[in-house]
Amino acid sequence: MQILQQKLCRLWRRYSPMMVGLFFLLPLGGCSQNWGWYVVNPATPAGQRNLKFLIDGLYYTIALSLTAITISIIVGLMIALPGLSSRRVPRGINRVYVEMVRAIPILVLILWVYYGLPQVAGISISVFWAGVLALAVSDSAFQAEIFRAGIQSINRGQYEAAASISLNYRDTMRFVILPQAIKRILPALGNQLVYMLKMSSLVSVIGMQELTRRANELVVTEYRPLEIYTVLVLEYLVVILIVSAGVRWLERRLNAAD
Amino acid sequence: MTPQPLSAFLSVQNVSKYFDNFCALDDVSLDVSLGQKLVICGPSGSGKSTLIRCVKQLERHQSGKIYIDGTEVGAGDAGQAAIRENVGMVFQQFNLFPHLTIMENLTLGPVRARGMPAAAAAELAMHYLERVRIPEQSHKYPSQLSGGQQQRVAIARALCMKPKLMLFDEPTSALDPEMIAEVLDVIGELADAGMTMICVTHEMGFARQVADMMLFMDHGKIVEMAPPRRFFSQPESPRCKLFLSQILRH
Ligand SMILES: Nc1ncnc2c1ncn2[C@@H]1O[C@H](COP(=O)(O)OP(=O)(O)OP(=O)(O)O)[C@@H](O)[C@H]1O
Ligand SMILES: [Mg+2]
């Protein structure tokens, strides 16, 4: 009985903000004659078509975010490691990269990579890869800082123990330091993934057919911004809540290991 | 390039070590030959840890030379290899890898640094876990073990690298009193089996049993060095006398 109560309590605490939100949102539909949910009514063929059009953007939102965050984690780690050096030059490289990249607004970076980079580098770049590149570069500066802090939080004794069993630098990082550091920075990495999912909406400006772009296009043809953007909000909400739950699950699993 | 005496396995010659301007080791010299058991004691801050950390090159000394098996340790790759090959170390705080199981803690070094096949490494690990009397814990994580068990795992981890010289830095001073004996027993057995070792400890009963040389340090210097019988019965320096009287009182 008590266990059930605790469970309900936990469920309530976790989902109540969302329910309160919906509680305020839904009556709006009833009290105003301006709402026209028919555009996304799943009971009609037209509504179904529109909904499908909107939700199909999910593929690119997720593909874009996951590809970008994978690259940004790798780049971020490669930038973080010189930042931990005792020598000045590697540390300087780390600082310059982080400070410069952090200073560029993501939207500006997206525009520059898509319109500017092809001219500078003489290459053609697809919308998808331009988006991935801009998001990844922008995020990598933050990843670098997260990794640096995480690695620095590991006790010096762990390095000494690794040295005492003759591990070289690579193996020390790979088998001793990084597994522990990653466990500690997992919440921050989760935040960064959520951030990335949201920032991917900016890639709509160069024509990427992700959630936001789809919503914009549908608004142009249907003239129902309120309903369509409400659906858009809910789409992001659902995706991000699922991702957050996934990250928390992973954290619990890793913490159970020791 | 001076020829060094080959009789000693470890030779520390006029080593000094500074932290900024603070002199932690002041012109220290000592020799340890194979099979010898050296116990170091001395007040807190006297440089005991610094000395054995310099031997393992976890700290760099500024002057003097340290030779292991005839190779100077401070000098480049050969010195590093000599340490890797020959010297094992056990820390006061155990420093086990918390994210790895006991078995993984033990096999990591042999597999990654020695290139040993995983199966052979596991067999070796089990052998040493039996020697430290905890073979049944191999699948657990360090946090699931008591302090005494963790320190015995740390000893087994060092042994898996087949060192010729073992360094112990106050291996029992982070332990609850009831766990000290089980760790000292393991170290004592190791000593009986002929392992060369340098042990920093304040456990004087243990020192009396295993040491064939006692060393007292104060202010970064070796103040007294004598076989245990003479060391305990008739210490020469007043500081050592005082230290012993304080430590043996309780
Ligand atoms: N990394 C360091 N930076 C600056 N000073 C240090 C450092 N490590 C040790 N020292 C200093 O060097 C001196 C000797 O330290 P050491 O750890 O060797 O003493 P110890 O004899 O092992 O003492 P204890 O019994 O407390 O372990 C101490 O005064 C200490 O403050
Ligand atoms: Mg010490």
Side-chain angles (χ1 to χ4, degrees):
Chain A
M1 200 56 217
Q2 202 161 9
I3 294 174
L4 188 70
Q5 216 169 3
Q6 276 173 358
K7 240 191 168 119
L8 283 175
C9 256
R10 217 169 324 132
L11 279 176
W12 170 248
R13 235 176 293 139
R14 186 171 302 166
Y15 295 109
S16 57
M18 206 165 70
M19 300 218 278
V20 171
L22 289 178
F23 180 79
F24 281 108
L25 205 57
L26 291 179
L28 281 176
C31 68
S32 160
Q33 67 271 63
N34 289 334
W35 286 72
W37 284 113
Y38 66 88
V39 269
V40 288
N41 185 350
T44 67
Q48 272 171 23
R49 206 166 350 99
N50 286 345
L51 265 180
K52 185 172 177 328
F53 179 75
L54 287 175
I55 292 173
D56 276 353
L58 200 57
Y59 169 75
Y60 278 118
T61 289
I62 290 176
L64 201 62
S65 304
L66 288 185
T67 315
I69 201 148
T70 307
I71 295 173
S72 81
I73 283 177
I74 295 168
V75 174
L77 179 59
M78 285 180 341
I79 298 297
L81 291 178
L84 295 158
S85 171
S86 55
R87 281 171 299 154
R88 281 174 95 111
V89 175
R91 274 216 315 274
I93 293 172
N94 167 281
R95 275 340 296 165
V96 168
Y97 183 91
V98 169
E99 296 298 337
M100 271 181 47
V101 170
R102 266 205 310 214
I104 309 169
I106 299 188
L107 185 55
V108 174
L109 197 57
I110 291 169
L111 292 171
W112 190 86
V113 168
Y114 187 59
Y115 295 108
L117 188 63
Q119 289 188 23
V120 180
I123 51 161
S124 68
I125 188 164
S126 71
V127 172
F128 180 82
W129 286 106
V132 164
L133 188 60
L135 289 178
V137 166
S138 168
D139 194 50
S140 66
F142 295 94
Q143 298 286 3
E145 290 294 89
I146 292 172
F147 269 104
R148 192 167 63 94
I151 292 171
Q152 274 172 342
S153 78
I154 303 298
N155 191 297
R156 197 169 68 133
Q158 292 290 306
Y159 290 92
E160 296 182 347
S164 83
I165 55 167
S166 307
L167 297 187
N168 58 24
Y169 174 77
R170 254 195 57 179
D171 286 346
T172 300
M173 280 296 160
R174 182 168 155 206
F175 295 106
V176 177
I177 306 300
L178 283 178
Q180 297 184 62
I182 286 171
K183 195 190 282 183
R184 282 190 201 177
I185 63 180
L186 206 65
L189 292 185
N191 278 344
Q192 224 44 34
L193 179 55
V194 166
Y195 187 67
M196 188 68 100
L197 282 162
K198 295 197 283 187
M199 289 307 124
S200 70
S201 63
L202 292 173
V203 185
S204 63
V205 299
I206 55 171
M208 183 80 243
Q209 289 285 323
E210 42 66 73
L211 288 174
T212 305
R213 177 71 178 201
R214 291 268 165 136
N216 278 335
E217 290 185 357
L218 198 63
V219 166
V220 171
T221 55
E222 297 281 354
Y223 302 110
R224 300 263 25 146
L226 177 56
E227 296 76 11
I228 291 169
Y229 286 136
T230 304
V231 171
L232 182 61
V233 167
L234 291 177
E235 283 175 314
Y236 278 111
L237 196 64
V238 167
V239 170
I240 285 169
L241 286 176
I242 291 174
V243 166
S244 304
V247 172
R248 270 200 305 273
W249 175 81
L250 197 62
E251 262 172 65
R252 266 201 308 277
R253 256 192 62 134
L254 286 179
N255 280 334
D258 64 23
Chain B
M1 282 296 115
T2 45
Q4 60 287 333
L6 284 173
S7 57
F9 182 70
L10 167 72
S11 180
V12 176
Q13 300 179 358
N14 307 102
V15 165
S16 296
K17 161 78 191 169
Y18 295 85
F19 292 109
D20 297 322
N21 287 326
F22 178 80
C23 181
L25 285 183
D26 186 3
D27 196 25
V28 169
S29 299
L30 67 93
D31 282 355
V32 178
S33 45
L34 278 180
Q36 216 182 355
K37 290 114 186 89
L38 184 69
V39 169
I40 303 178
C41 60
S44 183
S46 57
K48 309 178 296 290
S49 298
T50 307
L51 174 58
I52 66 173
R53 289 165 60 81
C54 280
V55 171
K56 182 70 189 170
Q57 287 290 286
L58 297 176
E59 308 276 4
R60 293 284 149 87
H61 53 287
Q62 274 93 20
S63 67
K65 293 204 157 69
I66 299 176
Y67 296 93
I68 289 174
D69 208 7
T71 310
E72 197 202 331
V73 300
D77 292 343
Q80 289 301 315
I83 295 171
R84 279 205 299 272
E85 282 293 306
N86 295 308
V87 185
M89 180 147 181
V90 173
F91 304 89
Q92 184 175 355
Q93 302 294 341
F94 327 140
N95 293 348
L96 294 177
F97 306 126
H99 62 298
L100 300 179
T101 63
I102 301 310
M103 183 48 92
E104 290 164 338
N105 265 275
L106 267 60
T107 53
L108 184 58
V111 170
R112 299 304 308 181
R114 297 270 194 267
M116 193 183 273
E123 207 171 300
L124 182 74
M126 268 332 269
H127 169 74
Y128 283 114
L129 280 178
E130 270 157 29
R131 260 184 86 170
V132 300
R133 294 192 283 272
I134 31 177
E136 70 285 358
Q137 314 280 10
S138 65
H139 59 283
K140 290 194 182 166
Y141 287 90
S143 61
Q144 296 170 304
L145 268 53
S146 75
Q149 290 173 325
Q150 289 189 48
Q151 191 59 300
R152 284 185 281 151
V153 170
I155 294 170
R157 178 176 68 180
L159 291 175
C160 279
M161 301 302 287
K162 305 244 167 146
K164 295 205 182 88
L165 168 66
M166 282 285 280
L167 308 172
F168 295 90
D169 189 359
E170 305 203 34
T172 58
S173 53
L175 294 177
D176 293 335
E178 73 271 18
M179 296 171 184
I180 291 177
E182 67 189 48
V183 171
L184 291 183
D185 283 350
V186 165
I187 301 174
E189 276 169 30
L190 210 55
D192 290 341
M195 175 65 78
T196 314
M197 59 175 72
I198 302 179
C199 184
V200 177
T201 183
H202 293 154
E203 297 295 331
M204 288 305 154
F206 166 79
R208 232 187 272 259
Q209 257 176 26
V210 304
D212 42 34
M213 190 60 84
M214 290 296 303
L215 196 152
F216 175 77
M217 288 186 72
D218 197 13
H219 292 112
K221 282 195 173 67
I222 296 178
V223 175
E224 183 126 3
M225 189 158 169
R229 177 108 46 97
R230 198 171 78 220
F231 183 86
F232 287 110
S233 60
Q234 40 200 294
E236 277 163 24
S237 78
R239 263 182 295 175
C240 185
K241 218 175 276 180
L242 181 67
F243 177 78
L244 286 176
S245 71
Q246 279 167 347
I247 208 162
L248 292 176
R249 200 157 28 173
H250 35 241

